[in-house]
């Protein structure tokens, strides 16, 4: 902004904004309520005049802060706000000893009890739950004096060990009492479960066996040695031991025998392995064929004869072939052009070549026959390879120019992923056919010949006087 | 060390005679147990003993192309070159000729033929091997897959004369 009214503009004529001290736009009317730990909020104040606070809207922020800090200090000492004070109060509350459990509950927690429209019969469970709650309250009660005592300890620093010990004992007693109360609670729970699990009552009864005051003892009666079970047991044990010993001996003997047998076997195996190893490795994998020459000598001779004759024949044929080739080459060199043409025709007829390239319809799809197995195609073994793959399909036979432009595509392209805009090359040919040089007229041809210094390339007539004169 | 060609040996076809066998096959032979154990320090005489224990004619066979003993001895022959250099050409091929001429050990004969075929000149080969067409003794042959078959000596010689590769060795074509 370049106006003179803007403070930071170069056209500003007032005071230099860099020199003035920044004062935040503080609106003292709004009151910010801060929360601080340990400090009760304002609405929690009881019997405190709130109006006093409301008289500070225009004061400085720092002064208000200081005051609040002072107030906080004051608050801590105030019994109404601090937890410690509350606890102390509860300790000294003598008027509450005659209270019932329900009155205490009401004092501690402002429970929003449901308004009972129809009185329902209370179940046992509810009663036990109430009992539990009562017990727990007792626990809390025990804690409180303990806590109060702790605070006491902190304050008084010069204490004797004896006093401390006394205190510890008291704590222990309290802990014990706590445990008892917890057990009571547990018992209450157990009473609930007694109906479901009957074993727990047994457990309770077993624990009573530890009581030294048992029932009457059995009177000792004399049993002769023969009838004594203990003696019998001893004898049994001895017998078993003997049996075991005997068995062990027997087993040891057996083992010896077995090991002997094993040893013998092993030695035999090793000997065999040595024997085998002495033989060649190659022999072990395959059975060697018999290459004995004494067998079937006559047959062998016959076979040899056949082979030899075949070889001779083969050699002869090779020689002949070679000779023929040489003859043919010589002959062909001596041929005239027409004879050569005839010879070519004859050879072509003799060697059947692939059929001429078929004329494709407009936008007919080209199918490549593949580079493999063409020897089969050439020899004619496999009928599959003799098929003509350039035969047009039904859909390729009719003129595609009748179709709309979008559908003038090769088969298998329209509507599929392989569809491309490119249809055929001449479609994108931008040759200007009307140009003078692209037309194949005589004038153009002559001109081209002249420029290429190819005058008379296609003229095969003999130069005559007629033309020369013109 | 042990795989060097005999320093007194002549070059064959203008190259180290051992190099007539392809490098891959050659390395396989060098690493073979039979080569290391038995073919070490073989002479022309001890080679006869080894050849007497031959079972079949083969090149490399099996899945990992294990070289056969025939091939190992063949390479050994190339290594030691049983001809004596410096002698007149007529005497040169004495040893190999003996290998071929002897009628008892047919596998040694086959070995000799193979060696001759690879090292000698065309004329020698034709002159020496063609009479062997008359020998129709049986030989065990193990092909590349490890399958054993029976061939005849004249068949083997025929292969030597015509085929390009027998026993995993490339043979020069004869004119």
């Amino acid at each position: 902004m370049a106006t003179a009214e803007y403070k930071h503009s170069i056209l500003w004529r007032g005071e230099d904004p860099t020199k003035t001290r920044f004062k935040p736009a503080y609106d003292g009317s709004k009151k910010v309520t801060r929360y601080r730990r340990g400090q009760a909020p304002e609405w929690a104040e009881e019997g405190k005049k709130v109006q006093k606070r409301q008289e500070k809207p225009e004061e400085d922020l720092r002064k208000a802060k200081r005051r609040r800090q002072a107030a906080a200090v004051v608050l801590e000492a105030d019994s109404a706000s601090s937890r410690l004070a509350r606890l102390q109060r509860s300790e000294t509350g003598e008027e509450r000893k005659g209270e019932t459990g329900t009155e205490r509950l009401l004092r501690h927690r402002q429970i929003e009890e449901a308004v009972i429209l129809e009185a329902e019969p209370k179940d046992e469970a509810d009663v036990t739950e109430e009992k539990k709650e009562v017990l727990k309250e007792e626990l809390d009660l025990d804690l409180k004096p303990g806590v109060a005592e702790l605070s006491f300890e902190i304050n008084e620093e010069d204490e004797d060990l004896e006093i401390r010990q006394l205190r510890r004992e008291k704590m222990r007693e309290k802990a014990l009492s706590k445990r008892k109360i917890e057990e009571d609670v547990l018992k209450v729970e157990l009473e609930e479960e007694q109906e479901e699990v009957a074993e727990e009552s047994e457990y309770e009864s077993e624990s009573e066996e530890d009581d030294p005051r048992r029932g009457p003892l059995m009177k000792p009666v004399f049993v002769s040695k023969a009838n004594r079970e203990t003696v019998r047991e001893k004898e049994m044990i001895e017998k078993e031991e003997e049996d075991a010993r005997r068995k062990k001996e027997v087993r040891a003997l057996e083992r010896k025998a077995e090991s002997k047998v094993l040893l013998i076997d092993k030695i035999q195996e090793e000997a065999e392995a040595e024997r085998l190893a002495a033989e060649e490795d190659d022999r072990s994998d395959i059975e060697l064929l018999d290459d004995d020459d004494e067998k079937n000598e006559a047959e062998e001779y016959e076979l040899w004869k056949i082979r030899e004759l075949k070889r001779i024949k083969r050699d002869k044929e090779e020689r002949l072939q070679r000779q023929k080739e040489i003859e043919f080459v010589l002959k062909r060199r001596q041929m005239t052009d027409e004879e050569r043409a005839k010879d070519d025709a004859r050879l072509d007829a003799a060697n059947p070549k692939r059929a001429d390239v078929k004329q494709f319809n407009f936008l007919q799809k080209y199918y490549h026959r593949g580079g493999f197995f063409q020897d089969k195609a050439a020899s004619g073994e496999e009928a599959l390879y003799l098929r003509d793959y350039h035969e047009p399909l039904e859909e390729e036979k009719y003129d595609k120019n009748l179709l709309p432009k979008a559908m003038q595509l090769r088969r298998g392209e329209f509507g599929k992923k392989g569809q491309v805009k490119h249809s055929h090359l001449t479609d994108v040919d931008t040759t200007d056919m009307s140009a003078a040089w692209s037309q194949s007229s005589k004038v153009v041809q002559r001109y081209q010949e002249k420029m290429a210094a190819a005058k008379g390339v296609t003229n095969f007539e003999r130069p005559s006087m007629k033309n020369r004169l013109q | 060390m042990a795989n060097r060609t005999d320093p007194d040996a002549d070059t064959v076809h203008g190259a180290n005679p051992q190099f007539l066998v392809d490098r891959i096959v050659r390395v396989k032979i060098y690493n073979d147990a039979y080569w290391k154990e038995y073919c070490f320090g073989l002479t022309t005489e001890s080679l006869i003993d080894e050849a007497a224990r031959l079972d079949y004619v083969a090149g490399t066979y099996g899945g990992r192309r294990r070289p056969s003993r025939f091939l190992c001895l063949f390479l050994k022959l190339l290594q030691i070159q049983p001809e004596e250099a410096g002698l007149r050409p007529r005497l040169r091929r004495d040893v190999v000729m003996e290998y071929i001429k002897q009628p008892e050990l047919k596998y040694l004969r086959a070995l000799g033929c193979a060696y001759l075929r690879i090292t000698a000149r065309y004329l020698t080969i034709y002159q020496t091997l063609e009479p062997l067409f008359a020998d129709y003794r049986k030989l065990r042959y193990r092909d590349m897959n490890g399958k054993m078959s029976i061939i005849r000596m004249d068949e083997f010689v025929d292969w030597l004369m015509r085929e390009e590769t027998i026993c995993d060795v490339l043979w020069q074509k004869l004119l």
Side-chain angles (χ1 to χ4, degrees):
Chain A
M1 295 185 284
T3 55
E5 286 87 41
Y6 179 54
K7 206 165 33 162
H8 300 287
S9 153
I10 200 165
L11 303 169
W12 174 252
R13 281 186 168 275
E15 59 180 10
D16 191 359
T18 56
K19 299 245 166 67
T20 55
R21 196 173 181 170
F22 173 67
K23 275 189 189 164
Y26 167 64
D27 180 23
S29 60
K30 281 189 187 174
K31 199 175 167 333
V32 179
T33 53
R34 302 266 182 224
Y35 167 70
R36 287 193 178 76
R37 292 182 294 172
Q39 189 186 42
E42 290 157 354
W43 47 264
E45 298 275 321
E46 288 177 32
K48 243 276 173 157
K49 288 181 184 175
V50 188
Q51 290 166 0
K52 270 190 186 177
R53 301 244 165 200
Q54 286 174 349
E55 282 172 28
K56 290 182 202 169
E58 287 135 14
E59 278 187 19
D60 208 352
L61 184 69
R62 273 176 261 156
K63 284 187 187 172
K65 243 193 189 175
R66 270 187 234 137
R67 278 204 193 165
R68 264 187 238 134
Q69 276 172 358
V73 169
V74 167
L75 276 165
E76 287 216 35
D78 188 11
S79 60
S81 60
S82 72
R83 187 162 166 268
L84 177 66
R86 256 186 284 134
L87 290 166
Q88 284 170 345
R89 246 194 300 148
S90 64
E91 184 197 69
T92 53
E94 286 174 347
E95 65 270 14
R96 289 195 231 109
K97 277 186 181 169
E99 262 185 338
T100 58
T102 47
E103 282 183 30
R104 211 185 300 126
L105 272 170
L106 284 166
R107 189 164 47 75
H108 282 289
R109 311 177 203 159
Q110 263 86 46
I111 295 167
E112 294 289 323
E113 289 206 35
V115 176
I116 300 164
L117 301 166
E118 290 174 10
E120 285 177 23
K122 270 191 181 174
D123 296 332
E124 272 191 359
D126 293 340
V127 169
T128 50
E129 273 179 40
E130 278 185 21
K131 271 194 204 170
K132 271 195 220 173
E133 283 180 19
V134 164
L135 290 165
K136 277 176 189 166
E137 280 304 310
E138 285 182 357
L139 276 168
D140 282 338
L141 205 130
D142 281 339
L143 273 168
K144 281 172 202 165
V147 172
E149 277 195 343
L150 273 169
S151 65
F152 234 126
E153 280 182 20
I154 293 162
N155 291 333
E156 296 175 21
E157 288 167 356
D158 49 341
E159 276 187 320
D160 294 337
L161 274 165
E162 288 179 9
I163 298 168
R164 274 190 206 153
Q165 278 176 0
L166 277 167
R167 291 254 154 72
R168 275 183 216 142
E169 279 176 32
K170 279 189 187 171
M171 297 282 284
R172 264 182 236 141
E173 283 172 34
K174 255 136 207 166
L176 275 168
S177 66
K178 263 190 251 167
R179 251 185 250 156
K180 278 186 190 169
I181 288 158
E182 279 175 16
E183 277 176 21
D184 289 26
V185 172
L186 272 169
K187 272 192 181 173
V188 166
E189 286 178 349
L190 277 170
E191 281 169 17
E192 288 178 358
E193 292 172 5
Q194 251 185 7
E195 293 170 3
E196 298 165 8
V197 185
E199 287 175 359
E200 291 204 9
S201 57
E202 282 179 10
Y203 182 79
E204 280 180 43
S205 64
E206 275 175 17
S207 59
E208 288 171 32
E209 278 182 354
D210 295 326
D211 201 7
R213 282 175 267 139
R214 282 188 194 173
L217 285 169
M218 304 264 278
K219 180 189 172 188
V221 173
F222 179 74
V223 179
S224 67
K225 247 192 197 177
N227 302 333
R228 267 182 235 165
E229 275 191 42
T230 50
V231 176
R232 276 191 207 154
E233 281 173 18
K234 269 191 195 172
E235 284 174 12
M236 290 287 285
I237 289 160
E238 280 178 29
K239 270 189 196 172
E240 280 172 25
E241 280 179 21
E242 266 203 62
D243 286 332
R245 248 180 278 147
R246 268 180 231 154
K247 277 182 190 171
K248 270 189 192 173
E249 284 171 25
V250 169
R251 255 183 256 153
L253 284 167
E254 278 178 23
R255 259 184 244 154
K256 273 188 188 173
E258 271 178 42
S259 61
K260 270 189 190 171
V261 170
L262 275 170
L263 193 71
I264 290 162
D265 284 337
K266 252 203 168 179
I267 290 163
Q268 279 179 356
E269 275 179 31
E270 278 175 24
E272 273 189 48
E274 275 183 45
R275 259 179 270 147
L276 286 167
E279 297 173 7
E280 270 81 273
D281 287 21
D282 302 341
R283 270 189 207 163
S284 58
D285 358 24
I286 26 114
E287 291 164 15
L288 283 176
L289 299 168
D290 186 22
D291 73 335
D292 193 10
D293 296 312
E294 267 82 71
K295 281 188 185 178
N296 300 332
E297 276 208 47
E299 198 184 311
E300 286 292 310
Y301 181 68
E302 293 301 314
L303 285 169
W304 173 79
K305 253 205 216 170
I306 291 163
R307 264 184 277 128
E308 190 65 25
L309 288 167
K310 275 189 182 171
R311 275 197 288 263
I312 292 164
K313 188 180 166 189
R314 185 188 60 192
D315 288 340
K316 261 195 186 171
E317 276 184 4
E318 277 178 7
R319 230 173 281 154
L320 238 144
Q321 193 83 24
R322 181 85 190 119
Q323 206 169 0
K324 268 189 185 174
E325 219 181 293
I326 294 163
E327 274 180 32
F328 176 72
V329 167
L330 284 170
K331 194 175 155 191
R332 209 170 146 97
R333 277 179 195 165
Q334 291 157 9
M335 265 191 216
T336 59
D337 288 331
E338 298 115 6
E339 283 170 7
R340 276 202 194 131
K342 277 188 207 167
D343 202 31
D344 283 340
R346 186 177 55 82
L347 284 166
D348 285 343
N351 303 338
K353 279 189 181 166
R354 211 190 294 166
D356 283 331
V357 177
K358 221 180 169 114
Q359 268 300 329
F360 279 55
N361 293 347
F362 180 57
L363 290 178
Q364 184 178 334
K365 188 160 182 148
Y366 171 69
Y367 177 77
H368 191 266
R369 70 185 74 226
F372 298 106
F373 302 110
Q374 290 315 307
D375 55 330
K376 291 206 174 130
S379 65
E381 283 170 341
E382 192 74 41
L384 195 71
Y385 297 105
L386 296 171
R387 288 185 191 174
D388 182 19
Y389 294 103
H390 299 303
E391 191 68 35
L393 268 76
E394 288 301 318
E395 61 188 77
E396 288 165 347
K397 279 182 186 165
Y398 62 83
D399 187 17
K400 286 202 176 164
N401 286 315
L402 305 168
L403 288 168
K405 189 77 176 85
M407 288 185 76
Q408 280 175 19
L409 300 160
R410 290 192 189 85
R411 70 175 153 92
E413 275 185 10
F414 180 69
K416 288 186 187 170
K417 189 178 144 198
Q419 179 175 356
V420 286
K421 275 194 189 156
H422 165 82
S423 55
H424 54 290
L425 198 59
T426 50
D427 195 25
V428 286
D429 188 7
T430 53
T431 319
D432 185 13
M433 295 301 178
S434 62
W437 52 82
S438 64
Q439 291 158 14
S440 56
S441 64
K442 199 164 184 185
V443 180
V444 172
Q445 194 187 4
R446 279 253 189 92
Y447 172 74
Q448 279 179 345
E449 277 177 21
K450 187 192 170 192
M451 297 305 348
K455 187 181 174 184
V457 156
T458 51
N459 183 22
F460 293 109
E461 289 176 7
R462 285 190 183 167
S464 66
M465 290 301 284
K466 287 190 280 181
N467 297 337
R468 219 180 137 201
L469 282 171
Q470 278 180 5
Chain B
M1 279 292 278
N3 294 328
R4 257 191 321 133
T5 321
D6 187 11
D8 295 332
D10 232 354
T11 59
V12 175
H13 300 302
N16 187 341
Q18 275 198 92
F19 292 174
L20 288 166
V21 179
D22 281 350
R23 192 181 172 278
I24 295 166
V25 180
R26 220 182 330 127
V27 170
K28 282 200 179 131
I29 296 169
Y30 291 156
N31 295 330
D32 190 44
Y34 179 75
W35 171 270
K36 286 180 186 172
E37 195 181 341
Y38 292 96
C39 298
F40 183 78
L42 271 187
T43 61
T44 46
E45 291 87 29
S46 42
L47 197 132
I48 297 167
D49 298 325
E50 282 300 320
R53 288 162 58 196
L54 274 178
D55 274 327
Y56 49 84
V57 174
T60 56
Y61 63 91
R64 59 183 180 96
R65 290 282 176 271
R66 204 178 144 193
S68 68
R69 291 171 183 224
F70 184 83
L71 199 61
C72 293
L73 290 174
F74 178 74
L75 187 66
K76 196 71 200 176
L77 268 179
L78 282 170
Q79 196 178 47
I80 58 174
Q81 206 174 76
E83 301 109 55
E84 283 180 34
L87 289 178
R88 279 174 293 161
R90 197 148 51 85
L91 285 169
R92 260 187 173 194
R93 303 212 169 270
D94 228 4
V95 181
V96 188
M97 286 303 180
E98 284 308 311
Y99 285 167
I100 295 169
K101 278 182 198 170
Q102 56 84 30
E104 291 94 33
L105 303 167
K106 52 189 179 183
Y107 290 102
L108 180 61
R109 190 181 261 193
L111 193 67
C113 288
Y115 177 76
L116 194 84
R117 170 67 179 83
I118 205 167
T119 52
R121 286 173 170 254
Y122 306 121
L123 212 61
T124 325
I125 294 167
Y126 274 116
Q127 283 172 353
T128 327
L129 295 185
E130 279 212 4
L132 288 174
F133 278 121
D135 183 359
Y136 55 89
R137 284 186 290 183
K138 287 192 227 177
L139 289 169
R140 285 191 208 101
Y141 176 70
R142 196 165 192 181
D143 66 0
M144 273 219 290
N145 303 319
K147 197 177 166 192
M148 289 285 254
S149 56
I150 298 276
I151 56 164
R152 277 33 183 226
M153 181 75 83
D154 56 303
E155 277 182 345
F156 182 67
V157 173
D158 191 34
W159 287 352
L160 281 172
M161 303 269 272
R162 294 185 150 266
E163 297 290 319
E164 270 186 43
T165 319
I166 330 159
C167 301
D168 271 326
V169 178
L170 290 166
W171 312 89
Q172 286 91 10
K173 273 210 156 185
L174 296 175
L175 283 171

